[in-house]
């Protein structure tokens, strides 16, 4: 509980009890006062009137007129002050007896009057006794409440008196002791207060301060410099380029490899922002562009008259400062990983694939030719089994030829040896040629292909006719491969801005959205599919279309078919 709350509660309660005590005290005193007043008015007066009447009666024989007047005056006053039970009857009797005494003054009648007066006096004396009993009870109640409340007040005051000074003084003493310890460079000192929240906060702040002092103490300047040197040497000796930027993009660190590839000198960079350096440096400009719009493609940099390839990674730096809980962003590090050896291996592999596929093409074509000749009746009749065998050799040969063709295409694309013949092509012609190529394949599954042209006959695209037909073929054969028996495929050719879009929609198995990007990568096939293929078709298609300044894409969902499309610019 907070110290402030404790104090407010203790003192507040004490205040309320004191107010209550005063109210109860004054209420009871008022009650006692009114009880006394009642006795005075109701009974003491009646006693006085009765006494006056007895005195008047005593003098009635000597001083008759004044005594009678006195008696009657006091009798009237008594008639107005009837407060006790039976007093009214006694007073009426007194009145009657006095009137008859005035008519005839006898001793018996006087005696009756005296008896009436004694009765009235006795009744009032009893009244006084009863009311005084009530006053005693009231006084006792008052004593009880005042003593009880007084005791509670005393207890609270007692607790506050003995507890408060200790609660406040104890942590202050402890804190004074700990501060002295810190002053004597004992930075291991920590304080732990139990109880109020304010002191807990104070202890936490003190402990953070001690922790920070301990950290500063343990890292002396020389060890700090040593650590800095060690890290700098390590970063400088890395084969990867490292550029450190603070939160305002000031370059605070750059290693030798980064200086080498950016062609910069250290003096040109110190105290400058990356944007200032980028004004005169192409590579820095590209790196900054990549920070805003990250790309996956490696960066090609020519240094030492050699092509080098770097993969860019941007690492945001967030640290938790001593004594704080939240991470704070303090800048980023640009890492340029040198992947030239891998790229060289990749080129070697591509060249190898290109050579192999080129060398294989001729013998495979020869095998196909041989198979066709064998199938010719002129060379003798073949039985059914031999024909079956020949058919499967022919199919396998065709498949091999397709694969080597695809591999050759891919290696051409990768080595940049692709030669495009861009010319004005009629979209209709491209579609018709592609459809013709897959007609037989579609017939095998009884799949119909419909075509819709939503453009003018005069709309020509600038494209390489053969490569575009190849892409279209690939889309169509994939659509047939992934469609079910008796379904249909729809081709739509339409204008889209300054391009023409070719879309091929099938109602087949569809592709999960998470694979949409990957299917355009080399050798990727959707997991769980057992289709014959190489996983190269879409990668080559993407390359062909992008080389022709076009765009390629897919819209698909599992069991809802797929639409593959590409756009090529209008002439
Ligand atoms: P492949 O030679 O395996 O067909 P592609 O690059 O042409 O290679 O296609 C890559 C993968 O994309 C295929 O393995 C297939 O799983 C998926 N795919 C391509 N087209 C379709 C389609 N029309 N319907 C469903 N899946 C498709």
């Amino acid at each position: 509980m907070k110290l402030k709350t404790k104090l407010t509660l203790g003192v507040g309660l004490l205040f309320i009890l004191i107010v209550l005590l005063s109210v109860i005290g004054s209420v009871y005193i008022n009650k006692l006062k009114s009880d006394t007043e009642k006795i005075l008015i109701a009974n003491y007066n009646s006693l006085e009137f009765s006494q006056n009447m007895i005195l008047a009666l005593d003098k009635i024989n000597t001083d008759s007129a004044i005594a009678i007047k006195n008696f009657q005056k006091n009798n009237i006053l008594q008639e107005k002050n009837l407060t006790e039970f039976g007093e009214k009857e006694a007073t009426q009797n007194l009145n009657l007896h006095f009137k008859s005494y005035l008519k005839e003054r006898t001793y018996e009648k006087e005696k009756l009057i005296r008896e009436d007066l004694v009765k009235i006096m006795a009744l009032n004396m009893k009244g006084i006794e009863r009311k005084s009993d009530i006053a005693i009870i009231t006084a006792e109640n008052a004593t009880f409440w005042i003593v009880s409340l007084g005791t509670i007040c005393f207890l609270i005051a007692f607790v506050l008196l003995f507890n408060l000074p200790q609660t406040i003084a104890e942590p202050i003493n402890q804190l004074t002791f700990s501060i002295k310890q810190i002053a004597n460079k004992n930075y291991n000192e920590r304080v732990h207060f139990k109880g109020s929240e304010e002191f807990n906060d104070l202890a936490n702040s003190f402990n953070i301060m001690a922790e920070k002092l301990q950290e500063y103490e343990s890292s002396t300047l020389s060890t700090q410099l040593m650590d800095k040197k060690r890290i700098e040497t390590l970063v400088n000796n890395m084969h990867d380029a490292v550029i450190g930027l603070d939160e305002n993009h000031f370059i605070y660190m750059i290693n030798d490899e980064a200086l080498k590839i950016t062609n910069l000198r250290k003096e040109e960079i110190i105290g400058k922002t990356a944007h200032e350096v980028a004004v005169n440096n192409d590579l820095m400009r590209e790196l900054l562009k990549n920070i805003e719009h990250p790309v996956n493609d490696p960066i090609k940099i020519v240094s030492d008259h050699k092509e080098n390839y770097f993969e860019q990674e941007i690492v945001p730096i967030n640290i938790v400062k001593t004594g704080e809980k939240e991470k704070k962003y303090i800048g980023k590090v640009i890492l340029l990983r040198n992947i030239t050896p891998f790229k060289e291996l990749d080129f070697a592999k591509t060249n190898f694939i290109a050579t192999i596929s080129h060398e294989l093409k001729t013998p495979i074509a020869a095998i196909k030719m041989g198979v066709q000749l064998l199938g010719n009746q002129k060379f003798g009749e073949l039985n059914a089994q031999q024909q079956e065998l020949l058919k499967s050799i022919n199919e396998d040969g065709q498949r091999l030829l397709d694969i080597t063709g695809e591999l050759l295409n891919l290696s051409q694309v990768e080595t940049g040896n692709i030669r495009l013949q861009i010319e004005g092509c009629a979209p209709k012609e491209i579609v018709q040629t592609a459809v013709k190529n897959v007609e037989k394949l579609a017939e095998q599954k009884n799949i119909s292909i419909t075509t819709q042209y939503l453009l003018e006959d005069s709309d020509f695209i600038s494209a390489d006719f053969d490569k575009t037909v190849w892409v279209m073929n690939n889309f169509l054969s994939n659509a047939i491969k992934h469609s079910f028996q008796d379904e249909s495929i729809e081709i739509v050719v339409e204008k889209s801005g300054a391009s023409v879009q070719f879309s091929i929609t099938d109602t087949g198995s569809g592709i999960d959205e998470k694979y949409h990007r990957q299917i355009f990568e080399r050798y990727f096939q959707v997991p769980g599919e057992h289709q014959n293929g190489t996983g190269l078709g879409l990668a080559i298609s993407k390359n062909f279309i992008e080389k022709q300044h076009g765009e390629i894409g897919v819209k698909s969902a599992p069991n809802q078919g797929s639409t593959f499309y590409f756009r090529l610019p209008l002439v």
Side-chain angles (χ1 to χ4, degrees):
M1 204 197 282
K2 279 193 172 184
L3 188 66
K4 196 179 156 195
T5 327
K6 265 189 202 170
L7 271 173
T8 318
L9 275 180
V11 178
L13 201 62
L14 206 59
F15 175 76
I16 292 171
L17 286 175
I18 290 170
V19 170
L20 207 65
L21 199 65
S22 328
V23 171
I24 288 177
S26 61
V27 166
Y28 276 110
I29 287 170
N30 273 336
K31 220 172 161 201
L32 282 173
K33 194 179 140 205
S34 92
D35 284 353
T36 329
E37 268 171 10
K38 266 185 206 160
I39 292 174
L40 190 76
I41 296 165
N43 305 104
Y44 177 78
N45 285 352
S46 288
L47 285 178
E48 202 179 357
F49 302 147
S50 305
Q51 198 187 9
N52 289 344
M53 281 189 269
I54 288 174
L55 286 175
L57 204 61
D58 288 343
K59 288 179 188 166
I60 213 156
N61 291 325
T62 51
D63 194 357
S64 174
I66 296 172
I68 290 170
K69 208 177 169 194
N70 252 345
F71 191 99
Q72 280 172 334
K73 191 177 105 196
N74 280 296
N75 194 14
I76 289 166
L77 287 171
Q78 168 59 22
E79 273 178 338
K80 285 181 190 157
N81 192 26
L82 301 173
T83 53
E84 300 302 316
F85 184 71
E87 198 178 355
K88 192 180 174 189
E89 288 80 25
T91 311
Q92 278 169 355
N93 285 344
L94 174 72
N95 214 359
L96 284 176
H97 290 151
F98 184 67
K99 276 180 186 157
S100 100
Y101 175 75
L102 284 183
K103 282 178 194 157
E104 187 190 356
R105 296 184 188 185
T106 62
Y107 173 73
E108 280 73 26
K109 285 183 181 174
E110 190 185 324
K111 198 179 164 198
L112 280 175
I113 292 169
R114 286 188 191 277
E115 275 170 13
D116 288 336
L117 284 170
V118 169
K119 198 176 177 187
I120 289 169
M121 283 171 92
L123 282 172
N124 279 293
M125 294 283 268
K126 250 190 203 147
I128 288 175
E129 231 170 84
R130 193 171 28 86
K131 281 172 191 164
S132 121
D133 284 349
I134 291 172
I136 287 169
I137 291 171
T138 310
E140 275 171 5
N141 276 345
T143 316
F144 169 77
W145 282 111
I146 289 168
V147 168
S148 308
L149 286 176
T151 313
I152 297 174
C153 286
F154 169 76
L155 286 177
I156 291 173
F158 189 79
V159 170
L160 286 179
L161 190 71
F162 277 88
N163 255 347
L164 257 187
Q166 207 190 352
T167 323
I168 298 169
E170 171 84 22
I172 291 176
N173 286 343
Q174 216 176 322
L175 194 68
T176 316
F177 174 78
S178 299
I179 290 172
K180 278 184 187 157
Q181 291 293 314
I182 295 283
N184 290 332
K185 295 204 166 182
N186 176 11
Y187 298 124
N188 286 326
E189 181 66 21
R190 299 286 183 274
V191 284
H192 300 286
F193 298 137
K194 269 181 236 132
S196 79
E197 267 175 47
E198 287 99 330
F199 283 118
N200 274 342
D201 289 347
L202 182 67
N204 280 342
S205 308
F206 180 89
N207 292 344
I208 289 171
M209 178 196 78
E211 207 177 315
K212 281 192 176 175
L213 284 173
Q214 196 172 23
E215 193 182 276
Y216 292 142
E217 175 71 7
S218 60
S219 58
T220 60
L221 194 62
S222 66
T223 49
Q224 272 183 25
L225 285 175
M226 191 64 201
D227 284 350
K228 191 169 172 260
K229 268 243 145 43
R230 206 174 288 146
I231 293 167
E232 273 175 5
T233 318
L234 193 123
V235 174
N236 264 336
N237 283 316
M238 279 170 71
H239 286 299
D240 298 336
V242 182
I243 304 171
L245 306 180
D246 71 6
E247 64 269 45
N248 299 317
H249 279 188
F250 271 101
I251 302 171
Y252 67 86
M253 172 184 75
I254 183 159
N255 72 350
D256 291 347
E257 184 66 22
L259 286 173
K260 199 166 101 187
I261 63 170
T262 49
N263 243 333
L264 285 165
R265 277 174 294 123
K266 234 179 184 150
E267 312 80 77
E268 289 178 80
I269 293 170
I270 303 291
K272 284 192 183 162
T273 65
H275 293 277
E276 283 166 347
V277 176
V279 175
N280 298 317
N281 191 287
D282 294 343
L283 180 62
M284 195 60 95
R285 207 164 31 244
E286 193 171 337
L287 293 179
L288 284 180
K289 206 166 71 193
N290 291 352
I291 291 181
E292 276 138 36
H293 311 286
V295 283
N296 288 327
D297 294 342
I299 303 172
K300 186 164 112 182
I301 298 163
V302 180
S303 74
D304 294 341
H305 308 291
K306 188 180 151 226
E307 281 182 355
N308 286 291
Y309 290 86
F310 290 88
E311 204 175 59
Q312 186 177 350
E313 193 182 340
I314 291 140
V315 189
I317 311 290
N318 298 303
I319 59 160
V320 181
K321 288 192 177 169
T322 316
E324 288 182 15
K325 287 196 181 101
E326 300 267 304
K327 271 191 177 176
K328 202 176 163 223
Y329 169 75
I330 56 154
K332 50 176 82 77
V333 168
I334 304 174
L335 271 178
L336 291 174
R337 205 164 290 128
N338 194 339
I339 53 161
T340 316
F342 302 108
K343 268 282 171 193
E344 282 168 354
L345 276 176
D346 199 37
F347 282 138
K349 177 217 71 188
T350 309
N351 282 335
F352 176 72
I353 291 175
T355 318
I356 293 281
S357 23
H358 188 260
E359 292 301 322
L360 284 179
K361 243 185 151 176
T362 325
I364 296 168
I367 292 170
K368 277 203 74 184
M369 177 77 87
V371 170
Q372 264 170 17
L373 287 174
L374 272 178
N376 197 323
Q377 302 276 343
K378 271 195 230 161
F379 298 97
E381 275 293 318
L382 294 178
N383 62 28
Q385 259 180 333
Q386 287 166 330
Q387 272 180 2
E388 195 59 36
L389 216 58
L390 222 52
K391 194 177 156 219
S392 100
I393 294 173
N394 195 25
E395 279 171 8
D396 286 344
Q398 187 56 48
R399 227 174 91 67
L400 272 176
L401 216 55
D402 289 347
I403 292 173
T404 45
E406 280 190 358
L407 286 172
L408 209 57
N409 272 331
L410 182 77
S411 46
Q412 272 182 353
V413 166
E414 283 189 353
T415 50
N417 287 340
I418 180 173
R419 245 168 274 130
L420 296 173
Q421 279 195 330
I422 305 281
E423 54 193 354
C425 306
K428 212 171 197 171
E429 212 178 319
I430 293 173
V431 174
Q432 279 165 352
T433 318
V435 170
K436 212 165 178 195
N437 288 342
V438 295
E439 254 170 8
K440 282 223 166 69
L441 206 62
E443 264 170 30
Q444 286 171 10
K445 281 174 116 175
N446 195 25
I447 288 172
S448 59
I449 301 175
T450 59
T451 318
Q452 224 184 324
Y453 297 101
L454 304 173
L455 75 176
E456 310 291 318
D457 281 349
S458 57
D459 289 329
F460 272 43
I461 54 167
S462 68
D464 179 311
F465 185 81
D466 290 338
K467 301 279 185 277
T468 314
V469 169
W470 194 97
V471 174
M472 194 82 192
N473 258 343
N474 186 255
F475 278 11
L476 282 170
S477 51
N478 273 347
I480 295 168
K481 214 164 29 166
H482 295 280
S483 286
F484 304 102
Q485 198 79 19
D486 308 324
E487 286 190 330
S488 66
I489 292 168
E490 191 185 21
I491 303 175
V492 178
V493 186
E494 63 198 321
K495 247 171 136 172
S496 152
S499 310
V500 170
Q501 175 165 304
F502 298 75
S503 332
I504 289 94
T505 305
D506 63 57
T507 47
S509 49
I511 308 160
D512 199 321
E513 203 185 331
K514 64 181 173 198
Y515 300 123
H516 284 190
R517 202 175 52 80
Q518 281 168 295
I519 52 172
F520 290 99
E521 284 170 11
R522 292 176 297 165
Y523 307 112
F524 182 83
Q525 291 182 299
V526 174
E529 297 235 343
H530 301 289
Q531 301 278 2
N532 297 331
T534 54
L536 289 173
L538 289 177
I540 297 169
S541 303
K542 185 169 188 280
N543 253 301
F544 279 174
I545 295 298
E546 284 177 356
K547 282 261 151 42
Q548 297 177 70
H549 310 292
E551 270 177 72
I552 195 165
V554 63
K555 286 177 201 148
S556 179
N559 302 322
Q560 286 177 22
S562 317
T563 299
F564 280 86
Y565 62 86
F566 62 84
R567 287 185 207 117
L568 285 169
L570 279 161
V571 175

